[in-house]
Each structure stands twice: as structure tokens, then as C-alpha cells.
Amino acid sequence: MRIPMIAGNWKMNNTIAESITLAQGIYYGLRQPGEVDVVVAPPFTAIRSVADVLKDSYISVAAQNIFWEDNGAYTGEESGPLLKDAGADYVIIGHSERRQHFGEIDETVNKRIKAALKCGLIPIVCVGETLEERKADHVTQVIERQIEKGLADITAAEVSDLIMAYEPVWAIGTGKVAATPDQIEAVHIMIRGSLSQGFGSNAISSLRILYGGSLKPENSREILGLPNVDGGLIGNASLKAQSFIDIIKNAKVKV
Ligand code: PGA
């Protein structure tokens, strides 16, 4: 059985005060979450404040990135121990915006995953193809490469603790064009198959694969109901408590 996860990626939005208000809005708006794991990823500046608001709640806090060294002369970076100290339990790794704007590559994704696992942060690892790659019919090839290199030298036991997120780059942030249910289900099956091949089906049976890319209340029932979609990673629609709550209500346990 896989308990669904709904994770909100607030990206570079929300002051500390706004983050506290949003976290409270989600918590008080949904006192009985049902069978679903809820995570929010505030900007670094608000992790501590949001973690304090949510400390006795069912909602966990994620960071949006991690550096692979524990400490030292790395101006502007945040390490796993620092993120844990701030109150994070999860960390988003390899988001396409980092790949696109900040030089993230599969090899650095791999280093970040290892650093997160070492300090007990649960990685939410993002993979996904660009529009050009989809048009060229390279979806499987691209995602298999992201998985193979991103998860290099990671053990089956460690992989079973990860969360994967399929985020087609062309569907992120449009608010309109989510991938179709058929496209999503096909890629999720492919990701699970590729992970099972690499790490064994036992390790993968409880691993969750989230979908991200213009997920919103209106399309969440259908997308989150797909047999191989174990939850969602939500950007825009996670910035309003009510729309995030409406998505959480559509999360479904998978057997
Ligand atoms: P979106 O973002 O929901 O705004 O498309 C998803 C993401 O980037 O994680």
C-alpha cells in the first residue's frame, strides 16, 4: 500500500509572515487530513518559522535544495545539517528550474541525494523531459538517464526511502497545460519499471512517484486517481491554502 503524498513547492515566494499565514491556513483548514502525507517547501528564509508553526501537526517541512558538503567555505549554500537544524525533514532535489537556471546536472543531483540521505533528510527527486525532448520522442531515454545517473551508487535500501516526482518541464507553471492522464500514467509506469529493474521490485514497491506540473483542484481528482500516481508536487496551486487543501482531499491511497 502506498499512502499518497501532497507536497507544496512554494519556490521563491512568501515572506516569513506570509509563509506563517499560509502554513496556518493549511493546518487549520484541514484538521483531519485523512490518509495522506502533506509536505510544504517554503523558501529557506521561512523554514524555521514554518517548522515552528507546524511542529505538532501532521504537515512536514521540506527545503528546496541542499549542498553536498556539511559545512565550510561555501558562501550562499545550505547543507543538510543546517537544513535539519532549521526544521526540514524533506528536501526537493533536481527540480527543473535548478537544472534550467542554476546549472544542476545529474551528477550534482546524485551528490545532493547522497548528502540528504546521510543526514536523514528524505529526498524528493525530480525528473522530467523538456518539450523538445518529448517532441523528439526521447522521454524514456531522458528520464532513464536522469534516474541512472541521479541515483548512481545509491543502495536499494536507500532508494526505498526516496520520493520521486515526475515533472514534465513543459507542463510546469503554465496553470493550464498539465500533461494528459495517459501521458502521466505511461511515464509513471516507465519510472517504476526502470527503478524496479535497477533496484529490485521489493525496494520499489512502497516508493512513491508524485506528479507535478500545473496540478490544481480542477484536474487533481483525475490525475491523483491514476493507478501509478502516488501524489503531487504542486507549485502555483500550493500558494493558496484553499486550493492546496482541495488537492489534498483528492489524494488516493494506492494498493
Ligand atoms: P506548478 O509547479 O504546479 O506551478 O506547475 C510545479 C513544480 O514546479 O513543482
Side-chain angles (χ1 to χ4, degrees):
M1 189 177 85
R2 298 192 298 275
I3 304 285
M5 171 175 287
I6 301 294
N9 175 9
W10 298 356
K11 306 192 180 183
M12 198 175 69
N13 294 296
N14 293 335
T15 61
I16 293 173
E18 288 163 346
S19 295
I20 290 171
T21 305
L22 180 53
Q24 286 170 334
I26 298 163
Y27 180 37
Y28 293 118
L30 193 73
R31 298 230 68 147
Q32 300 288 333
E35 272 193 299
V36 53
D37 289 336
V38 181
V39 177
V40 293
F44 286 129
T45 47
I47 288 179
R48 174 81 266 156
S49 313
V50 169
D52 284 345
V53 169
L54 299 176
K55 70 177 179 309
D56 298 320
S57 81
Y58 57 87
I59 304 171
S60 302
V61 178
Q64 299 176 16
N65 192 23
I66 176 175
F67 187 55
W68 49 82
E69 297 293 343
D70 284 352
N71 45 53
Y74 301 103
T75 303
E77 293 295 319
E78 263 74 44
S79 70
L82 296 184
L83 296 170
K84 282 219 68 142
D85 181 53
D89 287 318
Y90 292 82
V91 57
I92 299 172
I93 296 178
H95 191 280
S96 67
E97 286 152 15
R98 300 225 50 97
R99 295 180 193 256
Q100 203 180 338
H101 304 301
F102 304 101
E104 184 84 281
I105 52 174
D106 298 327
E107 287 73 11
T108 51
V109 167
N110 182 250
K111 288 181 170 204
R112 293 184 213 279
I113 294 172
K114 287 176 182 162
L117 291 169
K118 192 174 90 181
C119 73
L121 281 168
I122 301 175
I124 302 175
V125 181
C126 303
V127 295
E129 81 287 357
T130 63
L131 190 56
E132 292 68 37
E133 289 162 343
R134 177 163 282 269
K135 282 186 178 154
D137 210 14
H138 288 163
V139 179
T140 302
Q141 190 184 323
V142 166
I143 293 177
E144 284 189 341
R145 188 209 70 221
Q146 290 173 339
I147 290 176
E148 195 188 316
K149 294 193 171 175
L151 302 186
D153 306 320
I154 289 172
T155 66
E158 288 169 333
V159 166
S160 64
D161 290 338
L162 299 182
I163 314 287
M164 296 295 297
Y166 168 52
E167 298 211 308
V169 180
W170 48 274
I172 293 176
T174 70
K176 296 189 192 87
V177 204
T180 66
D182 286 352
Q183 289 170 325
I184 297 169
E185 181 67 4
V187 176
H188 279 234
I189 290 171
M190 183 268 284
I191 293 174
R192 192 168 287 287
S194 160
L195 289 169
S196 298
Q197 221 175 353
F199 299 97
S201 48
N202 270 357
I204 302 310
S205 60
S206 58
L207 178 144
R208 288 171 288 189
I209 306 172
L210 316 182
Y211 168 76
S214 296
L215 200 55
K216 51 189 175 180
E218 295 82 343
N219 61 17
S220 60
R221 182 180 298 276
E222 187 174 23
I223 293 174
L224 297 175
L226 293 167
N228 283 284
V229 173
D230 306 312
L233 179 56
I234 296 122
N236 267 327
S238 73
L239 295 174
K240 294 264 179 311
Q242 195 53 53
S243 64
F244 192 57
I245 288 169
D246 289 343
I247 295 173
I248 294 168
K249 285 181 181 159
N250 285 329
K252 297 269 177 318
V253 173
K254 300 296 150 64
V255 281

